[in-house]
Amino acid sequence: MAANVGNAVRGAVIGATFGAPFRGAASFRAINYYEPIPARMAAVEALDAWLVYAQMRKEHAPPEQTGEVLTRHWSSNTAESAFGMANLAAGFRPPFSGSFRNPLPGGSQAFGRAVFWGLAYPSDLDKACEAAFYDASIDHAGDGVWCAVAVAAMASQAGLGLSIPNLLRVAAGVLPKASLALGALTSLLVIHSGSGDAQAAYSTLPSAVPTQDPLAAPLNFALVCLALLYGEGDFGKGIRLAAGCGGAADLNALAVGAILGAGSEELEPDWMRPLGTPYVAGFALQALAVPTTIEEFVATVAAAVCEPEKAEPLPPVEPAPTESAQASEGDGVEASPAPAVADPPAPTLPALGDRIQRLLAREANWMAARIGEAHVEVEFVDPPVLMPNRTNRLILRACNVGSEEQIVNGSLTGPSGWTVACKISSFRLRAGEESAFAAVVLASDLVGKAGSIDLPGRTIDLPRPIKKAKVDQVTLHMGLGETPETRLDIGVPLLPNQRWYQVGPFANIEGTGFDKAYKAEDVLKVGEVFNGRGDLPVSWRQTFFSGLTFDLEPMFTNGPGVVYLFGKPNLGAGQKMRIVVAASTGAVVWVNRERLTRYHDIHATIPRAIQPYVGEFTSTKPTEVLVKVLRDRTPLDAVVIYFLDETGKVVWPDGFERMD
């Protein structure tokens, strides 16, 4: 167990409050004390999540259920968390909920939550990292998960006598080679072994972590490591550095405060005194008792962290690597050894087990559930979006994580009129054994023309066109025996497509197309022909997208031009909303014929709800959206388009109307 759980929790509260005023800063600043001196602790969603996880620990819920428990008691609309919570609400589970339709998977929002799992599993690196994986995967993928897991790894070893450089080596051993954070950490260790100070080390990070996003996970993980390394184990110095580096300063200082607090016998009273005694919760918590004081919060978390666990079942067997996974391994996504730098002899450092390494290396195209002692997965071979004349392929897996043989009963069903082909039925699993089943789903309401589609073992006809897509889900029924406690229905969402119309390309000579108003801006009508680039005729054509990201590059056929995208999403009526349109070369956005945003420059997009990407409007039924996108001589990145309500909640359109 960490040397002082109470001080680790207090350190987290102090660090989060200390760093809050500097969140988003993009330059180094020397800080001596709270600026400004607070009247109370800062409300931090990550700390509120700790209360949910404390309840989860009492219930002995497995890591696969983290998303379910969090949904019941916590709802955040902050940055990438808004997309993760929207996916959970739609029925997806981690890790797929963090990777699907999420334009910010590499954010740092999970750092503060990850610290809890490190404290919950002191010295047990594998358990801490597995729990942090399922947590961070709720609303992140890639580096957004890897860096959070590395933070949890350091928290799990905090207060156990390891030097700060060795703590960082433990974290480095967790990061896959594909992580951008690994190179930054290596640079920091090398600089620290020389004569550079903290500010000099900070100045090297832009080249080590090439990002324009101050909240990106690799950058902020590097800032956490910088504060620990140059803080030299001193609590005050560490959180001052974490806050002074900006970025996600509140979460970075929270992590540093907890890690250094775990090794502190006593925290200086001056750090706690300005915070007073009340615990200040945010607006994310729901249906859960909230502590009235900071010390009550400390006691609640400490009691949950020290709660003895149930006997741990056998780990699930990882599926055999697919061809793409093998290619990824060849590209170097396997866990890397810690950077080797000169250091005094140290104890043997804990290393991540092979199973967790494989977990981190897997593509996040699957979601997990637990029923009794069976670990169940649904892998999406195709994106879970219903597209005309296309089936949706799934792979269903079940693994016995218990110690005794089990008979599993399974079936997959769909709505009336759908075709579901799957050979899953009743099967036997020995301890540690896994079975996998392929499934193909066809929503017959999406058939657009006559023909046929091949399913496993048979061919079905597609006899008629369908006027409107039906939106629903298939359900995986799993059971162990006949008691309700060992039966589970897992909804597998299949979302509606988005009907948009596009026209172009029009001429864009040296960027002049941005200011030129083409006739297509005013004539929103199917069948109308316009004079396109090179005097070629172009007209509006219907296209179905999965939503959020729009690959328009093929329309430009490798040359400069202008393309228009038009849609009539059903967003309700009379709702105050925001639209976010992020394009790497610039865009003009009209909603209901009113221009909302206009920008023109070549840049790497940060698709957050920030200027110049965001515009406000009041929805109508339907709402007309017209987007003008340019391409210069360089290829166009995928355009990101999404909608938010007044609270920041992600709103997916309830269908799209046809163009007149």
Side-chain angles (χ1 to χ4, degrees):
M1 179 176 296
N4 196 324
V5 174
N7 277 346
V9 180
R10 294 183 189 93
V13 174
I14 293 167
T17 305
F18 194 90
F22 308 101
R23 181 177 176 85
S27 60
F28 184 87
R29 178 175 177 178
I31 304 171
N32 293 319
Y33 197 52
Y34 292 102
E35 294 183 19
I37 297 177
R40 58 181 185 175
M41 67 167 282
V44 182
E45 291 177 343
L47 295 179
D48 291 343
W50 287 21
L51 294 171
V52 181
Y53 299 150
Q55 179 65 29
M56 182 177 171
R57 290 273 291 175
K58 291 180 182 178
E59 298 171 0
H60 300 290
E64 295 95 328
Q65 291 181 5
T66 306
E68 297 173 67
V69 176
L70 199 65
T71 301
R72 292 198 296 267
H73 301 295
W74 188 86
S75 179
S76 170
N77 292 328
T78 301
E80 57 265 32
S81 294
F83 296 94
M85 299 309 291
N87 281 331
L88 289 179
F92 296 111
R93 299 164 182 252
F96 191 71
S97 62
S99 64
F100 180 60
R101 281 187 176 179
N102 184 357
L104 304 167
S108 53
Q109 201 66 18
F111 280 23
R113 305 199 310 261
V115 172
F116 176 90
W117 300 112
L119 299 179
Y121 296 103
S123 77
D124 195 327
L125 190 63
D126 277 13
K127 286 185 179 180
C129 290
E130 181 179 22
F133 167 83
Y134 281 105
D135 177 24
S137 295
I138 288 171
D139 46 3
H140 298 85
D143 258 318
V145 172
W146 301 332
C147 294
V149 170
V151 168
M154 290 191 290
S156 76
Q157 305 300 309
L160 299 178
L162 290 181
S163 67
I164 295 299
N166 281 330
L167 270 184
L168 302 193
R169 288 184 176 88
V170 171
V174 168
L175 294 170
K177 286 185 178 179
S179 173
L180 292 176
L182 187 62
L185 177 52
T186 303
S187 297
L188 284 175
L189 288 169
V190 171
I191 293 172
H192 184 259
S193 65
S195 58
D197 60 11
Q199 188 167 358
Y202 177 88
S203 67
T204 67
L205 294 181
S207 58
V209 188
T211 178
Q212 301 299 315
D213 185 0
L215 302 179
L219 172 63
N220 285 280
F221 178 76
L223 297 180
V224 168
C225 294
L226 184 152
L228 290 171
L229 199 57
Y230 287 88
E232 300 174 329
D234 179 84
F235 178 84
K237 189 175 180 181
I239 63 170
R240 287 197 298 268
L241 283 170
C245 288
D250 51 347
L251 301 178
N252 296 345
L254 181 159
V256 171
I259 291 169
L260 296 179
S264 301
E265 292 296 327
E266 184 177 0
L267 298 179
E268 290 290 335
D270 284 347
W271 293 116
M272 287 294 298
R273 189 176 295 115
L275 307 186
T277 58
Y279 178 80
V280 181
F283 297 103
L285 278 177
Q286 54 193 20
L288 192 70
V290 179
T292 57
T293 67
I294 294 175
E295 287 305 310
E296 185 182 347
F297 172 76
V298 172
T300 300
V301 174
V305 165
C306 299
E307 179 89 2
E309 288 192 279
K310 293 179 13 179
E312 186 72 11
L314 294 174
V317 176
E318 297 296 330
T322 61
E323 190 174 305
S324 60
Q326 292 171 347
S328 297
E329 290 175 6
D331 291 338
V333 296
E334 71 275 5
S336 61
V341 297
D343 197 66
T348 301
L349 301 182
L352 202 60
D354 291 343
R355 184 177 67 89
I356 307 301
Q357 288 185 29
R358 292 195 299 270
L359 187 69
L360 293 175
R362 288 182 66 183
E363 181 184 355
N365 64 341
W366 55 281
M367 63 183 195
R370 177 74 73 88
I371 167 177
E373 294 187 329
H375 171 90
V376 180
E377 294 180 5
V378 178
E379 179 180 328
F380 297 97
V381 180
D382 303 305
V385 178
L386 299 173
M387 304 294 279
N389 299 318
R390 195 195 75 183
T391 59
N392 289 85
R393 294 170 296 171
L394 308 171
I395 295 177
L396 314 176
R397 292 191 179 91
C399 176
N400 181 359
V401 297
S403 57
E404 298 181 358
E405 183 180 88
Q406 299 182 38
I407 296 178
V408 183
N409 303 303
S411 63
L412 185 69
T413 61
S416 176
W418 287 31
T419 300
V420 178
C422 183
K423 294 184 178 180
I424 187 173
S425 57
S426 179
F427 54 97
R428 188 184 304 272
L429 288 178
R430 293 187 290 270
E433 191 176 46
E434 177 193 278
S435 286
F437 303 86
V440 179
V441 178
L442 173 66
S444 59
D445 284 356
L446 288 169
V447 176
K449 58 183 179 181
S452 63
I453 289 183
D454 291 328
L455 299 178
R458 58 185 167 139
T459 299
I460 64 171
D461 293 328
L462 309 179
R464 60 187 177 89
I466 296 297
K467 297 179 180 179
K468 186 177 181 182
K470 181 178 179 181
V471 180
D472 218 313
Q473 66 178 22
V474 294
T475 303
L476 175 62
H477 310 274
M478 300 295 291
L480 307 176
E482 298 299 328
T483 62
E485 292 77 14
T486 57
R487 296 191 65 81
L488 178 66
D489 291 337
I490 305 170
V492 183
L494 296 173
L495 302 185
N497 56 61
Q498 295 193 4
R499 182 199 310 272
W500 291 82
Y501 296 82
Q502 51 189 1
V503 64
F506 297 95
N508 176 31
I509 302 172
E510 301 299 332
T512 57
F514 182 78
D515 294 315
K516 183 175 180 179
Y518 293 93
K519 187 179 178 181
E521 294 179 10
D522 298 317
V523 183
L524 305 174
K525 185 178 180 180
V526 173
E528 189 74 19
V529 178
F530 308 100
N531 189 31
R533 186 181 64 193
D535 293 328
L536 295 175
V538 295
S539 60
W540 289 104
R541 63 182 185 183
Q542 178 178 261
T543 308
F544 295 98
F545 290 96
S546 297
L548 194 101
T549 57
F550 298 79
D551 182 12
L552 303 181
E553 174 64 18
M555 286 202 68
F556 291 97
T557 59
N558 298 319
V562 172
V563 164
Y564 290 90
L565 193 65
F566 176 75
K568 299 174 70 173
N570 289 319
L571 300 167
Q575 304 296 318
K576 291 184 178 179
M577 306 191 71
R578 289 177 288 167
I579 182 173
V580 177
V581 178
S584 59
T585 55
V588 186
V589 180
W590 295 265
V591 173
N592 294 331
R593 304 297 179 112
E594 178 184 354
R595 194 180 73 191
L596 298 186
T597 62
R598 183 178 187 273
Y599 60 96
H600 181 203
D601 63 342
I602 300 176
H603 65 291
T605 57
I606 305 173
R608 301 182 183 275
I610 56 177
Q611 295 300 332
Y613 306 134
V614 65
E616 298 181 352
F617 67 96
T618 300
S619 63
T620 56
K621 191 175 182 179
T623 299
E624 291 190 355
V625 178
L626 177 65
V627 179
K628 178 181 182 179
V629 180
L630 284 81
R631 183 195 193 274
D632 293 318
R633 298 184 182 279
T634 57
L636 179 73
D637 294 340
V639 178
V640 174
I641 303 176
Y642 60 89
F643 302 92
L644 303 171
D645 69 8
E646 283 187 290
T647 68
K649 180 181 178 181
V650 177
V651 177
W652 299 120
D654 182 19
F656 280 68
E657 299 292 334
R658 293 179 181 272
M659 178 184 274
D660 296 333

